[in-house]
Every structure is written in C-alpha cells, then in structure tokens.
Amino acid sequence: MSRYGKCQNFSGCLLAYRGEETEVDNDQPFICAECGKPLTEVGSPSAMWMRYVYGLVGVVVIGAAVVFAVPSLRSKVLGSKAPAAEEVAATPEASPEPVASTTPPPPVATIPDPTFPTPPETAVTESEPPRFVTSPERIDLDVTKTENKAVKDEVLTRIDLMPNVSESNKDKLYQAVERARSMGKILTIPFASGKTELSAADIEALRTELAKPELAKLRDDPTAVFVILGYADPKGDAKKNLAYSQSRADAVLKAMRDRLGVINVMHTIGMGGSKLLDAQNLEKNRIVEIWAVLP
C-alpha cells in the first residue's frame, strides 16, 4: 500500500510549485522526494474515484426518493393518473379523480456527504518560480576546513576510478587537487530523479550565479580550475548511479563551456551514489557541485 501527499514548500520545491502529488510507500518516510519537507496527505487516486462513484449513487438514490415522495412528480415520471395515497376518498364507491397540483415541488436540500468532502478553494497567487542553482552566502576556499578536506579526499579517491580518462590526465588532475592551496564549493545544481540534463531555466540561473562578483573573479583567474562533481542518491543500482552522476556533471560542463562562455580548465568527476551531502534525506544527494581549485 502507498500514501499520497503534496509538498507545501512553494518557495523552494519544484513539486510544490507544480502542485504534483507524490506516492510514498508505507515503509518510507512521508516526506517530499525533491526537498525533504513533510508532505500533506491527500487521498489516493483510487479512493477519490470510489468517492465520486459513491457520491453519484447517493445523488441517484436521493433523487428517486424525492420523485416517489412527491405525488405530482411521481405521476409525471410514471405517466399514471393514480391518486396519491393521501388523496384517496374514505369510501371505495366515491373515488374521485386526483387533481393535478399546480404548486411546484419543494426544493430538494443538498445534504453534504461526509465521505466525499468538497475540496477547498485554492487561492491563485502569482509567484516567481523557485531557483534551483545556488551559491554559498560566503565562498570559503580554505582547504583545511573539515568539509573541504573531506571532499578533497573523496575526489582524490575517485580520480583513480575515472573511466575513459588517460593516466596522464588523471595525474594532472590528481596533482592539481592534491597541491591546491585553496579549494571550496562555489555552486550547487540540484537534479530531479532520473534527470541528467539542464533545462533552459537552470542554464539562465547558472548564468546569473556566475555573474556574481566573487564567481566572476574566479572566472577571470586563468589559474583557477573548476572541478565539477556529479552525485546521485544511493538508492538503486550502483553502476547506474555512477552513470547518472557522470552524465549530470558532463551536462553542467557542456553548458558552462558552450552556453555560458567559461574558458577555465574544467574537469568532471562522477561521484556515484552518495550519502555525503545528506544521510537522512537521500534525495538531496541528486546534485552537481562545482568546486574551485587554486594552485
């Protein structure tokens, strides 16, 4: 069995912005697959259809009861001129013809069905679509910082595992990272589940971030190397996750080089499925990070 819910994080979640429902297995946390926020539970599609059926049956039953309860309606529907029960004469010998009523039937009150509640109205408000490409409030290139050091060690491990890369290029990248005097994260680009390409909106958001003064300064430094790390969540097949992560990193490099005019030396590394970024909300590991490395 599954539960269905909607995310209410309209300021930072694409699923909430689109109003999409999320199906969650009963044994999984009831949180948004995109942003990790708690979901608001809604009825399942099958339950909603059953409610529609029950509501329709209820309307038919109430309508039939009203028709047979009101003599004038019953005679019109059945085409019979039989007298109503309350109009039958006291003696069988003098059974008068029923007189057609000229009074319109009383209005039928609509009784709310508690099993089929009317959905609340949703206020329509104009809002900017959430931005998915972000840069840190303060770029920290201190290579001795705990987070930076942990990523540096992980990158050095992954360089040796990179497929389709010559040993000489591996050595150059390894030395650039190993001997870096400064290294830190400058950009984060989230990806939806199963997605490996950037949308036009993502590319424009990336352009905006790269134009910020700190990032523009790094782009103008010819010695600055950008290492693009692709990640996937750890669920599923490890080889497929590695392929996803590499494809995401390659897509970002291609956009930066071909669409955004970045001419710095850039390298991509697929980091595969990871819990490095968030061990609780695994979906938050579906990202690409861009790290600046200064020799």
Side-chain angles (χ1 to χ4, degrees):
M1 296 294 291
S2 300
R3 300 170 65 189
Y4 294 81
K6 284 188 176 182
C7 182
Q8 303 299 317
N9 182 20
F10 295 103
S11 63
C13 178
L14 184 60
L15 296 181
Y17 178 73
R18 292 177 176 173
E20 296 183 8
E21 295 183 3
T22 300
E23 180 180 1
V24 181
D25 293 337
N26 282 341
D27 58 349
Q28 297 295 320
F30 197 56
I31 58 176
C32 177
E34 196 63 39
C35 68
K37 299 292 185 181
L39 295 172
T40 299
E41 187 163 2
V42 298
S44 68
S46 60
M48 291 298 293
W49 278 111
M50 290 302 296
R51 291 180 179 180
Y52 278 114
V53 172
Y54 292 149
L56 181 60
V57 171
V59 170
V60 173
V61 171
I62 292 174
V66 171
V67 168
F68 284 94
V70 179
S72 59
L73 289 178
R74 185 174 70 238
S75 61
K76 290 180 180 179
V77 172
L78 299 179
S80 171
K81 294 186 178 181
E86 60 271 20
E87 296 174 333
V88 176
T91 60
E93 293 82 4
S95 298
E97 288 280 332
V99 179
S101 174
T102 58
T103 304
V108 180
T110 303
I111 303 174
D113 184 353
T115 64
F116 185 53
T118 303
E121 292 185 357
T122 303
V124 178
T125 58
E126 295 185 2
S127 60
E128 293 293 328
R131 295 179 61 189
F132 303 108
V133 180
T134 57
S135 58
E137 293 183 3
R138 177 179 175 273
I139 295 177
D140 188 350
L141 301 181
D142 183 0
V143 76
T144 63
K145 186 179 178 181
T146 302
E147 178 187 359
N148 293 358
K149 188 175 185 303
V151 173
K152 176 181 176 181
D153 293 341
E154 182 72 12
V155 168
L156 291 173
T157 301
R158 290 284 178 175
I159 290 174
D160 290 332
L161 303 177
M162 291 171 62
N164 306 321
V165 178
S166 66
E167 290 300 322
S168 61
N169 286 336
K170 285 183 181 181
D171 290 341
K172 291 178 182 178
L173 178 57
Y174 193 97
Q175 291 176 12
V177 175
E178 173 64 23
R179 298 175 182 178
R181 58 181 172 84
S182 299
M183 178 177 176
K185 179 172 59 179
I186 61 172
L187 283 169
T188 301
I189 304 129
F191 281 77
S193 178
K195 300 297 183 182
T196 59
E197 296 294 332
L198 292 176
S199 66
D202 291 330
I203 293 175
E204 289 307 308
L206 184 56
R207 185 193 307 276
T208 299
E209 294 295 327
L210 287 171
K212 289 183 176 180
E214 281 190 284
L215 274 66
K217 182 178 179 181
L218 289 170
R219 290 179 58 184
D220 292 338
D221 185 347
T223 66
V225 176
F226 294 147
V227 179
I228 304 172
L229 308 179
Y231 290 91
D233 65 50
K235 296 180 289 186
D237 182 74
K239 291 183 178 180
K240 290 183 179 180
N241 289 338
L242 181 60
Y244 272 126
S245 66
Q246 185 64 52
S247 296
R248 288 167 178 164
D250 291 341
V252 172
L253 183 148
K254 187 174 185 296
M256 293 176 66
R257 182 189 60 207
D258 299 344
R259 302 284 296 276
L260 304 178
V262 178
I263 60 175
N264 300 72
V265 175
M266 294 183 286
H267 298 280
T268 62
I269 302 177
M271 305 293 281
S274 174
K275 295 182 181 180
L276 178 65
L277 306 176
D278 196 321
Q280 301 300 321
N281 300 315
L282 301 181
E283 294 80 7
K284 291 187 178 181
N285 295 285
R286 293 195 300 257
I287 67 170
V288 164
E289 290 184 341
I290 302 177
W291 286 66
V293 178
L294 298 176

